[in-house]
Amino acid sequence: MHLTLQDAPSAEATIRRVQESLAEVDAVRPVPVQGLHLTMAGVGFTDEVAAGQLHEVSQQVFARAEAIESTPLVLDSMLIASEAVMFCAREESWLEELLTIQREAVDQVVGRREWGPFHPHVSIAYADAMTAVDEVRDALEDHVAVLEPVEIERPVLTLMRLGRDRNVYEWDVVRELSLSR
């Protein structure tokens, strides 16, 4: 499950501005705006999760998510790594609560998992070859210095079938819920 960034024109403008500054870095490819998302908890690969299990996880998560008192999703820092450039989200209690709901539902319905740490972020660009972090940082230098927090007023909880077969995120929406009210 993911939080997708829909109807967030100011956030999209900031992300596009940062992505444009990466154009001079050969191996870095921006994530198209419609592909921007914050990964929460994966339910599983489509060939490993039965339709009934997916439905049950969805029922549990969305029923409990409706009761969450959420605030806007705030992306307030940037992480530059050799494989990606990411906007990091503030770790809010509602975000942790939503993650816990998702993990509990997957564990109960699909089977217990070993969940790793959660570092909420939105990847805005990926490297498709080895790239020096310094080169990426230098391309972003002017933008990072003046970057203000990006607010997503209404992040959308999205259960999707996600693929990246053509080197770009593509998905089919199974179910959605707008969070901030």
Side-chain angles (χ1 to χ4, degrees):
M1 286 189 217
H2 298 74
L3 291 180
T4 54
L5 318 180
Q6 301 174 17
D7 299 320
S10 64
E12 290 175 10
T14 299
I15 290 168
R16 278 195 182 109
R17 190 179 78 233
V18 172
Q19 288 176 330
E20 287 168 5
S21 69
L22 293 168
E24 64 190 62
V25 183
D26 289 334
V28 175
R29 305 287 172 254
V31 175
V33 173
Q34 68 273 16
L36 296 171
H37 65 278
L38 187 148
T39 301
M40 298 288 293
V43 178
F45 293 104
T46 55
D47 62 339
E48 297 173 356
V49 178
Q53 291 174 309
L54 184 63
H55 176 76
E56 181 60 29
V57 168
S58 171
Q59 291 296 101
Q60 287 185 29
V61 170
F62 282 80
R64 292 178 63 193
E66 287 181 344
I68 290 177
E69 293 288 329
S70 61
T71 58
L73 178 65
V74 179
L75 308 174
D76 64 355
S77 62
M78 188 181 297
L79 176 62
I80 302 169
S82 59
E83 71 279 354
V85 177
M86 299 159 261
F87 277 142
C88 300
R90 283 188 190 152
E91 294 188 25
E92 304 279 354
S93 60
W94 70 266
L95 199 54
E96 289 291 330
E97 181 182 357
L98 182 59
L99 179 69
T100 299
I101 289 168
Q102 293 174 24
R103 288 178 172 184
E104 288 174 355
V106 171
D107 283 348
Q108 180 184 11
V109 175
V110 181
R112 191 117 182 95
R113 301 238 174 110
E114 287 294 321
W115 298 101
F118 180 57
H119 303 288
H121 68 278
V122 175
S123 297
I124 63 168
Y126 286 103
D128 57 9
M130 287 303 293
T131 304
V133 172
D134 291 345
E135 184 181 359
V136 175
R137 187 196 66 233
D138 291 347
L140 292 170
E141 191 169 31
D142 292 337
H143 296 287
V144 173
V146 297
L147 189 65
E148 293 186 19
V150 174
E151 282 196 8
I152 313 300
E153 282 294 321
R154 288 182 191 81
V156 177
L157 175 60
T158 306
L159 175 59
M160 62 179 68
R161 285 183 196 86
L162 176 69
R164 196 164 180 245
D165 298 335
R166 294 185 285 186
N167 291 330
V168 63
Y169 284 112
E170 299 174 310
W171 59 70
D172 296 317
V173 173
V174 175
R175 189 170 180 182
E176 291 183 318
L177 172 68
S178 182
L179 293 176
S180 294
R181 297 168 197 55

